[in-house]
Amino acid sequence: MLNKTRGRPRGNPDTKARIAEAARELFLAHGYKGTTVRAVAAAASVDSALISYHFGSKQGLFGQSLNLLCVESTALDQALQGDQAGLADRLLTSVTSLWDATEPTENRMALQDADTMRAFRDYLESELLVRIAEFLGGPDATERATAAVGVIGGLIFTRYLNPIRSIAALPSAEVRRIFGPALRAALHARVRQR
Amino acid sequence: MLNKTRGRPRGNPDTKARIAEAARELFLAHGYKGTTVRAVAAAASVDSALISYHFGSKQGLFGQSLNLLCVESTALDQALQGDQAGLADRLLTSVTSLWDATEPTENRMALQDADTMRAFRDYLESELLVRIAEFLGGPDATERATAAVGVIGGLIFTRYLNPIRSIAALPSAEVRRIFGPALRAALHARVRQR
DNA sequence: CGCAATATTCAACTGTGCTGAATAAAACGC
DNA sequence: GCGTTTTATTCAGCACAGTTGAATATTGCG
């Protein structure tokens, strides 16, 4: 395509990294389906066959170029300290501050990938849920934590992952105001008799 | 392709409906990307050009064929009648009955691709949200409906779309019990002052 | 050095969504 | 009823997608 003399090039240019970076940009800008392998190859000044060679497939390129880990948990640590009364607000704050801080445009579509979905799920169920349950303590702790994770997961989903306009548009203070009651109820409500 | 004599066929067979049904099955079984237009055409014993003719594009076919499934929510109609006190329970019931009824296997994983996400989002924001808000009425109706959609969306996400074990494993009665308080709060809580 | 492993380009294959022309039945006006 | 327009269908094929196999030049190891 771009007459770059066949065969291995001189030196050891890290072409794979260059491809990954170009891919990341394009994926974030145009989404998965909107990004063609050939476009990535062109952006990296490379033959399109190279990406099959280095990453196996377009799926593989996607997974490897977006190794965004969703959550760093220092915010969660802070939220899980203090009185229970303010817990809901602190949790909501940590969620919004954490996700609102990520890049402006739709890097949210990264969750379309199966692996990323799984990572997110694992985080919710083996990190968030157990730590909230620990903090709550008492009977029904697990069940209340389950409800809370459902609410928080819903917020993340409807605001960031698959953003519904009316929720995504809310300033974070409004998020606290509107989701507060539901989350408080989930965390603290006496669950009805079985 | 299938030598079926060119031109308009005898009688008035509702081919469009047949195509939509075949499409619905295939989309649910294999997801958007995993379903080719040609496969749908073959399943409906029809030339593939017909689906461009009837539905404009694959996207259009997707929207219109799955529309049937989302609109099938006569359950929602029922939920949106009666007293407000039982509303949360009725909504939760309609959600679980609707989703638990879909095929046993993980056609949920098919919901991972971008277009399904989009269809789902559209449903949440232009169907569910406005109808709940209508039903609630009064000041803050939109805001309470927003919170409710967040909670319901969260339930669907964490139970069906990207199922985290502790929520997916719940029997539907438990879902009502555990998510009830949060949803009731979302629907009816007096939202704090601005 | 010799030779395998590696990194790259090129050409091409298969399959995708979609379009334009051809065609036949239906629907409609008189 | 008949002529015209509208609708529903098949067929052939284009443009582009992701991927593969062969050819080739470079590195790195013994």
Side-chain angles (χ1 to χ4, degrees), chain B residues 135-150:
Chain B
F135 179 79
L136 286 177
D140 289 334
T142 302
E143 282 155 336
R144 300 207 303 274
T146 298
V149 166

Side-chain angles (χ1 to χ4, degrees), chain B residues 1-4 6 15 47 49 53-54:
Chain B
M1 241 197 182
L2 240 172
N3 258 358
K4 264 207 329 185
R6 232 170 164 106
T15 318
D47 190 279
Y53 176 74
H54 278 305

Side-chain angles (χ1 to χ4, degrees), chain B residues 48-70:
Chain B
S48 68
L50 247 204
I51 96 153
S52 273
Y53 176 74
H54 278 305
F55 300 91
S57 68
K58 184 185 182 182
Q59 206 32 254
L61 173 66
F62 184 83
Q64 293 189 44
S65 62
L66 251 62
N67 193 344
L68 300 175
L69 191 138
C70 278

Side-chain angles (χ1 to χ4, degrees), chain B:
Chain B
M1 241 197 182
L2 240 172
N3 258 358
K4 264 207 329 185
T5 65
R6 232 170 164 106
R8 187 172 184 153
R10 305 259 161 124
N12 265 346
D14 197 353
T15 318
K16 189 172 177 180
R18 232 176 55 241
I19 294 177
E21 184 162 353
R24 192 174 135 273
E25 266 180 46
L26 290 182
F27 278 137
L28 286 182
H30 308 117
Y32 183 84
K33 220 180 69 178
T35 302
T36 74
V37 168
R38 283 170 158 91
V40 172
S45 305
V46 143
D47 190 279
S48 68
L50 247 204
I51 96 153
S52 273
Y53 176 74
H54 278 305
F55 300 91
S57 68
K58 184 185 182 182
Q59 206 32 254
L61 173 66
F62 184 83
Q64 293 189 44
S65 62
L66 251 62
N67 193 344
L68 300 175
L69 191 138
C70 278
V71 165
E72 188 193 41
S73 57
T74 50
L76 179 60
D77 293 332
Q78 287 186 334
L80 291 180
Q81 284 174 347
D83 60 339
Q84 295 219 354
L87 177 60
D89 274 344
R90 290 197 304 276
L91 281 174
L92 289 175
T93 301
S94 81
V95 167
T96 53
S97 70
L98 197 138
W99 285 82
D100 288 343
T102 60
E103 293 308 305
T105 50
E106 34 209 334
N107 49 6
R108 283 75 189 254
M109 292 310 263
L111 285 247
Q112 273 172 18
D113 59 83
D115 306 283
T116 318
M117 292 274 247
R118 162 148 217 181
F120 181 62
R121 179 176 61 218
D122 287 347
Y123 174 75
L124 284 187
E125 78 185 355
S126 41
E127 186 82 8
L128 232 201
L129 197 146
V130 303
R131 296 194 55 189
I132 290 182
E134 263 175 27
F135 179 79
L136 286 177
D140 289 334
T142 302
E143 282 155 336
R144 300 207 303 274
T146 298
V149 166
V151 172
I152 293 175
L155 171 62
I156 295 179
F157 180 64
T158 55
R159 184 175 166 90
Y160 305 106
L161 268 37
N162 194 24
I164 84 177
R165 271 182 267 111
S166 54
I167 295 186
L170 262 29
S172 61
E174 289 286 292
V175 170
R176 280 195 295 284
R177 195 183 120 240
I178 293 186
F179 279 80
L183 185 53
R184 268 189 293 279
L187 287 167
H188 307 302
R190 196 173 33 123
V191 191
R192 292 184 298 177
Q193 93 214 335
R194 308 173 177 259

